[in-house]
Amino acid sequence: MNQTYDMFNEILVKLFRDIMDIEGKAIITEEFQDISNNDMHIIEAIGLHEKKNMSTVAKALSVTIGTLTIAINSLVKKGYVNRVRSEQDRRVVYISLTPKGEKAYKHHEEFHRQMILATIEGLSEEETRILVKALSNLNDFFRNMTSGREIESLKRAVEKKAL
């Protein structure tokens, strides 16, 4: 069991670090050198073909509207995002991608497509189902860590175990 644990731990720690590092290097090309990996994830959250309000995008990214506003200001200046106030309620701001933003979105989407194809290459349907179940379990673990209380509880459990 310890060998399996150690193997999973090493793979997951390296995987989290490598995904962010390699994704940043792969998607920030000469054409998209004026934006960051974080900007690409904002572009992804806005999505194609529809306007979204700021609160919807902020919630999807788990950031405050203030934090999102700063990033959107930059993306508007760089020509990736359009921002329009609602005619019905001027407090509501809608954002959508420009053609340049849509191109960046598709570029990022292709990176993810290649990553997924490499992940499931050579797996049987049963192995793919098992992998999806394992990753869903991991995702559920992180999703359950949404409040400070759960994170503090996890910290205490980790500290107790380490002693």
Side-chain angles (χ1 to χ4, degrees):
M1 180 63 179
N2 277 346
Q3 248 184 339
T4 302
Y5 170 86
D6 290 343
M7 181 183 64
F8 269 108
N9 186 56
E10 183 179 338
I11 289 170
L12 287 175
V13 168
K14 287 181 76 176
L15 184 62
F16 286 134
R17 184 179 50 241
D18 289 349
I19 286 174
M20 294 305 290
D21 183 49
I22 293 166
E23 182 179 41
K25 290 174 183 169
I27 64 174
I28 307 304
T29 62
E30 189 168 321
E31 183 176 8
F32 304 113
Q33 65 185 337
D34 60 340
I35 58 175
S36 67
N37 202 16
N38 188 52
D39 291 334
M40 275 292 198
H41 289 118
I42 293 168
I43 287 169
E44 178 184 40
I46 295 170
L48 297 175
H49 311 300
E50 64 182 81
K51 294 178 191 174
K52 290 187 178 169
N53 66 39
M54 292 281 285
S55 14
T56 299
V57 175
K59 185 175 181 182
L61 294 168
S62 299
V63 299
T64 65
I65 292 178
T67 298
L68 181 61
T69 298
I70 293 166
I72 293 297
N73 288 344
S74 174
L75 289 169
V76 167
K77 285 180 191 171
K78 294 173 186 175
Y80 290 92
V81 173
N82 289 317
R83 177 177 32 214
V84 179
R85 289 208 178 270
S86 168
E87 292 298 321
Q88 289 76 30
D89 184 346
R90 302 291 293 159
R91 296 171 296 174
V92 176
V93 176
Y94 290 105
I95 50 179
S96 61
L97 300 179
T98 64
K100 183 178 178 182
E102 289 179 1
K103 192 170 185 183
Y105 178 97
K106 289 174 183 171
H107 176 68
H108 186 233
E109 182 179 53
E110 179 58 21
F111 171 80
H112 281 257
R113 192 179 79 73
Q114 294 294 326
M115 182 175 60
I116 298 306
L117 289 175
T119 301
I120 62 173
E121 183 178 345
L123 296 182
S124 69
E125 281 188 41
E126 179 63 18
E127 290 168 325
T128 301
R129 279 194 296 277
I130 292 168
L131 178 60
V132 167
K133 175 64 177 150
L135 292 174
S136 293
N137 289 346
L138 183 60
N139 187 51
D140 290 346
F141 171 79
F142 285 120
R143 293 284 175 219
N144 288 330
M145 293 293 123
T146 57
S147 83
R149 193 168 0 118
E150 284 92 356
I151 292 171
E152 287 304 315
S153 175
L154 180 62
K155 281 182 188 177
R156 283 191 299 279
V158 169
E159 288 169 356
K160 190 177 190 181
K161 201 70 159 164
L163 298 177

